[in-house]
């Protein structure tokens, strides 16, 4: 009897903790979205980089071009609205994919560009690799950041197949982005409802910077696709466990293996793993705790028959999330390790696929003079030292020195937040060959307006729809994984180097939340409109009866 009481007390404690985590997550998400909305509005009011006045000047001096652009935008929006009316989800996904793809291919053709900076360097090294020359792997860039090698070899494959042109890689970028729009829809449909998923997918497909960045030869395109595919697979794994651990159906280990593979492929392209993997493991513990609490102390209205399962008692099924996640992480580690081993044993590189200079991102990210962005002065200061170990020691000392300067940290964090979430898009800067200042100013203004719209509807979705469901504990657990990854990524960039393009990884999550907000507004408008019609008909009926 005492053991049972103790068990129930433990369960009550765990339940309080899990509910506290949910409430805190929702509160931090509201704060994050609100601050992103505020800094975006503030930047527009202060006319950062002349975006506002430049757009107005463009409107006055080129009304014909502005009219054509408005006509094109209205046409695209009209097609999007027509897609929303498609009843079949399969047809909607196909329509969404091809609409997103055509927009991006149109951009690639209309705005021909050439890469610069690191993108140009990696593409040139990919050309060497395509011709069998791997001597570049001994260059300081690949010695320090060997994790860039898989993406370089990916580019080399396209060079080998299609020649020394960037066009095939840009087309592939368009495919990755269009497929990601479909995943956003699938995630929204799984976590919320079909209409929320449709709104979220359309918002991402039409988002300006997700269109313009297909011209940038960045590893973000395939990495973002694979990581969000993994999140979708992890979320859908909850279906095999049931919403509350009952009404179970087995789905096998296929989705777990697929999720591990997707995480591994994403990691090989771009190492988001240090942020994502710990949160995936925490999510497994969170799911196990939720199921265990329900098994010991089920909610009112659940019958004894719901507590039974052919594979064993429900109280033993809390192990299932841990087992599934163990499979995901084993597959992830095995694939990443195997890829590194193959590259080393084949002689392509002598170094493991990781960052061999882990402090540099923090050196740049904690620099108050540059607002946490790239620092040429820091780089020259470090490169003067004779050996890599001496450089690492100097970087480590510099990081600790900047962390100990607590008076400068909070202002630095706020400045970095404003840059990362309030600055105009920088896609034009990452390419050369684009001499269209009016287009650049106009596109930046439209991107900021779109971000403002997304954050505003995301705020509505969180506060109105999700907040109401959270009070009744009716939100799917998969949503918390998505929010943790979004918030964890944003928090990590308070400490490490930032660039405006780094916010792209969070855009699918924000458009999902905005889709939920749009769906909530859509339902309320329809309800009000329908109720108004009903009341009007009742009033007319009463008048006739008189």
């Amino acid at each position: 009897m005492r053991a049972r009481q103790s068990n129930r007390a433990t369960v009550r404690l765990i339940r309080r903790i899990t509910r506290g985590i949910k409430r805190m997550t929702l509160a931090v998400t509201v704060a994050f979205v609100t601050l992103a909305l505020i800094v975006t509005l503030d930047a527009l009011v202060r006319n950062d980089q002349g975006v506002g006045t430049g757009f107005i000047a463009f409107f006055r001096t080129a009304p014909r071009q502005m009219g054509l652009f408005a006509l094109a935008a209205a046409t695209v929006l009209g097609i999007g609205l027509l897609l929303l009316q498609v009843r079949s989800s399969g047809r909607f996904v196909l329509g969404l994919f091809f609409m997103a793809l055509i927009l991006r291919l149109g951009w690639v053709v209309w705005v021909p560009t050439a890469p610069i900076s690191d993108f140009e360097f990696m593409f040139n090294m990919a050309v060497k690799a395509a011709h069998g020359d791997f001597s570049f792997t001994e260059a300081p860039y690949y010695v320090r950041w060997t994790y860039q090698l898989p993406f370089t070899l990916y580019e080399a494959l396209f060079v080998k197949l299609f020649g020394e042109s960037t066009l095939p890689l840009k087309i592939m970028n368009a495919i990755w982005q269009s497929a990601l729009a479909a995943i956003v829809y699938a995630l929204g449909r799984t976590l919320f409802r079909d209409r929320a998923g449709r709104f979220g997918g359309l918002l991402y497909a039409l988002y300006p910077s997700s269109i313009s960045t297909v011209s940038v030869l960045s590893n973000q395109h395939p990495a973002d696709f694979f990581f969000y595919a993994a999140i979708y697979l992890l979320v859908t794994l909850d279906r095999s466990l049931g919403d509350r651990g009952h009404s179970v159906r087995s789905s096998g280990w296929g989705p777990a293996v697929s999720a591990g593979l997707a995480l591994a492929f994403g990691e090989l392209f771009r190492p988001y793993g240090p942020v994502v993997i710990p949160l995936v493991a925490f999510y497994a513990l969170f799911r196990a705790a939720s199921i265990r609490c329900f098994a010991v102390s089920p909610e009112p209205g659940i019958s004894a028959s719901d507590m039974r399962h052919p594979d064993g008692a429900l109280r033993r099924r809390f192990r299932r999330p841990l087992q599934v996640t163990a499979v995901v992480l084993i597959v992830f580690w095995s694939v990443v390790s195997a890829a590194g081993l193959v590259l080393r044993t084949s002689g392509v590189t002598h170094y493991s696929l990781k960052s061999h200079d882990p402090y540099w991102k923090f050196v740049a990210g904690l620099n108050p003079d540059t607002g946490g962005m790239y620092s040429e002065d820091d780089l020259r200061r470090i490169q003067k030292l004779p050996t890599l170990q001496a450089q690492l020691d100097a970087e480590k000392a510099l990081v600790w020195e900047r962390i100990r300067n607590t008076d400068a940290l909070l202002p630095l964090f706020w400045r970095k937040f404003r840059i990362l979430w309030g600055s105009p898009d920088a896609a034009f800067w990452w390419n050369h060959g684009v001499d269209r200042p009016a287009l650049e100013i106009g596109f930046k203004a439209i991107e900021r307006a779109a971000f403002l719209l997304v954050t505003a509807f995301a705020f509505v979705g969180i506060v109105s729809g999700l907040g109401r469901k959270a009070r009744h504990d009716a939100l799917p657990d998969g949503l918390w994984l998505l929010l943790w990854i979004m918030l964890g990524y944003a928090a990590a960039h308070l400490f490490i180097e930032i660039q405006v393009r780094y916010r792209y990884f969070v855009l699918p999550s924000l458009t999902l939340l905005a889709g939920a907000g749009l769906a909530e507004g859509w339902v309320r408008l329809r309800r009000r409109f329908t109720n108004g019609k009903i009341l009007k008909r009742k009033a007319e009926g009463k008048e006739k009866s008189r």
Side-chain angles (χ1 to χ4, degrees):
M1 187 68 178
R2 286 181 180 177
R4 183 177 296 179
Q5 289 176 348
S6 175
N7 198 10
R8 288 185 180 277
T10 303
V11 166
R12 284 195 295 270
L13 176 62
I14 294 173
R15 184 168 288 172
R16 288 195 195 100
I17 291 172
T18 55
R19 285 178 177 171
I21 290 171
K22 290 178 181 180
R23 289 169 184 166
M24 184 180 294
T25 301
L26 208 59
V28 175
T29 305
V30 170
F32 168 68
V33 172
T34 303
L35 286 175
L37 182 62
I38 289 170
V39 297
T40 304
L41 276 171
D42 179 61
L44 288 173
V45 170
R46 289 188 294 105
N47 192 34
D48 274 6
Q49 298 185 18
V51 168
T53 53
F55 189 69
I56 293 170
F58 176 58
F59 181 77
R60 288 175 177 173
T61 58
R64 182 173 177 274
Q65 290 87 334
M66 193 67 185
L68 289 173
F69 183 83
L71 180 63
T75 303
V76 171
L77 286 174
I79 294 172
L81 289 173
L82 287 175
L83 268 179
L84 285 174
Q85 306 306 315
V86 175
R87 291 188 177 182
S88 167
S89 59
R91 290 178 182 176
F92 173 80
V93 168
L94 284 175
L96 178 68
F97 175 83
F98 283 111
M99 184 183 76
L101 184 61
I102 290 168
L103 286 172
R104 284 153 179 78
L105 292 179
W107 177 269
V108 167
V109 173
W110 185 42
V111 188
T113 63
I116 63 169
S117 189
D118 291 3
F119 306 119
E120 182 181 20
F121 174 74
M122 283 194 287
F123 181 75
N124 291 336
M125 298 307 102
V127 172
K128 286 188 175 183
H131 292 93
D133 179 6
F134 295 101
S135 59
F136 67 89
T137 59
E138 295 298 325
Y141 184 88
Y142 286 98
V143 172
R144 286 178 177 273
W145 300 293
T146 316
Y147 63 81
Q148 298 282 25
L149 185 56
F151 179 70
T152 305
L153 298 179
Y154 159 83
E155 290 186 313
L157 175 63
F158 279 81
V159 173
K160 187 78 172 177
L161 293 174
F162 303 107
E164 298 177 17
S165 169
T166 60
L167 182 61
L169 284 165
K170 292 178 183 179
I171 293 173
M172 196 64 215
N173 287 346
I175 294 172
W176 290 125
Q177 289 282 348
S178 303
L180 182 51
I183 289 176
V184 170
Y185 160 71
L187 259 173
R189 185 183 182 189
T190 302
L191 294 175
F192 310 118
R193 290 184 178 179
D194 184 78
R195 188 168 295 280
R198 292 189 179 206
F199 278 125
L202 278 172
L203 282 172
Y204 186 76
L206 300 177
Y207 195 85
S209 66
S210 74
I211 296 173
S212 63
T213 52
V214 295
S215 296
V216 182
L217 302 185
S218 171
N219 56 10
Q220 289 174 270
H221 301 296
D224 289 358
F225 167 80
F226 280 115
F227 270 98
Y228 274 94
I231 293 170
Y232 171 71
L233 290 166
L234 289 168
V235 167
T236 53
L237 277 170
D238 279 349
R239 291 182 178 182
S240 66
L241 300 173
D243 293 336
R244 297 289 182 186
H246 57 283
S247 194
V248 183
R249 59 184 177 83
S250 176
S251 62
W253 297 103
V257 173
S258 299
L261 288 172
L263 283 174
F265 292 148
E267 181 74 3
L268 289 173
F269 279 112
R270 187 174 181 84
Y272 293 133
V275 172
V276 174
I277 297 303
L279 292 172
V280 169
F282 180 75
Y283 174 65
L285 295 173
F286 181 83
R287 283 290 290 144
S290 299
I291 293 173
R292 179 63 173 165
C293 287
F294 176 78
V296 173
S297 179
E299 295 180 353
I302 303 300
S303 64
S305 61
D306 291 325
M307 296 289 289
R308 302 191 190 95
H309 186 268
D311 294 337
L314 179 60
R315 66 179 64 239
R316 291 199 299 269
R317 293 196 59 255
F318 78 97
R319 301 189 189 96
R320 177 77 171 179
L322 303 177
Q323 294 167 345
V324 165
T325 305
V327 171
V328 171
L329 297 181
I330 289 170
V331 171
F332 167 81
W333 178 83
S334 300
V335 172
V336 172
S337 299
L341 182 63
V342 167
L343 291 177
R344 289 197 303 274
T345 55
S346 61
V348 172
T349 183
H350 301 297
Y351 307 97
S352 56
L353 294 179
K354 65 177 184 179
S355 173
H356 297 276
D357 187 2
Y359 304 114
W360 170 251
K361 285 286 185 182
F362 293 94
V363 168
L366 294 170
N367 188 329
D369 298 327
T370 62
M373 301 182 77
Y374 174 78
S375 171
E376 188 68 34
D377 291 338
D378 279 341
L379 185 64
R380 282 197 297 265
R381 177 180 174 181
I382 297 299
Q383 285 184 337
K384 288 179 181 178
L385 300 172
T387 64
L388 177 59
Q389 188 56 51
Q391 293 172 5
L392 292 176
D393 292 339
E395 287 176 3
K396 186 177 180 180
L398 188 56
V399 168
W400 283 114
E401 176 187 330
R402 288 173 175 174
I403 288 177
R404 283 194 291 266
N405 185 10
T406 53
D407 292 338
L409 274 182
L410 284 179
L412 173 63
F413 289 164
W414 176 238
R415 184 182 174 192
K416 291 180 72 174
F417 190 93
R418 289 175 59 184
I419 292 171
L420 188 56
W421 306 105
S423 296
D425 186 71
F428 276 83
W429 191 89
W430 290 109
N431 294 280
H432 59 75
V434 184
D435 187 19
R436 300 184 185 180
L439 175 65
E440 180 178 357
I441 290 172
F443 212 82
K444 282 182 176 180
I446 292 165
E447 189 275 333
R448 287 290 80 197
F451 190 79
L452 193 67
L453 181 73
V454 166
T455 49
F457 277 112
F459 178 83
V460 171
I462 297 166
V463 173
S464 179
L466 304 189
R468 187 177 64 253
K469 291 179 180 178
R471 287 192 292 273
H472 295 88
D473 202 20
L475 290 172
D477 283 344
L479 175 64
W480 307 114
L481 174 63
L482 184 75
L483 296 182
W484 292 337
I485 290 174
M486 181 182 75
L487 297 175
Y489 184 84
H493 283 82
L494 294 175
F495 296 91
I496 64 176
E497 180 191 357
I498 60 167
Q499 294 175 19
V500 175
R501 67 186 177 91
Y502 289 172
R503 69 172 172 237
Y504 297 157
F505 180 71
V506 171
L507 282 177
S509 300
L510 283 176
T511 54
L512 262 176
L513 296 175
L518 273 169
E520 181 73 16
W522 180 278
V523 168
R524 292 194 175 193
L525 280 174
R526 284 192 63 181
R527 190 178 296 162
R528 179 170 294 182
F529 181 73
T530 305
N531 289 344
K533 275 190 170 183
I534 292 171
L535 290 172
K536 186 178 179 181
R537 286 173 185 171
K538 285 183 177 179
E540 288 174 353
K542 286 180 180 179
E543 287 291 330
K544 287 180 180 179
S545 64
R546 288 177 184 175

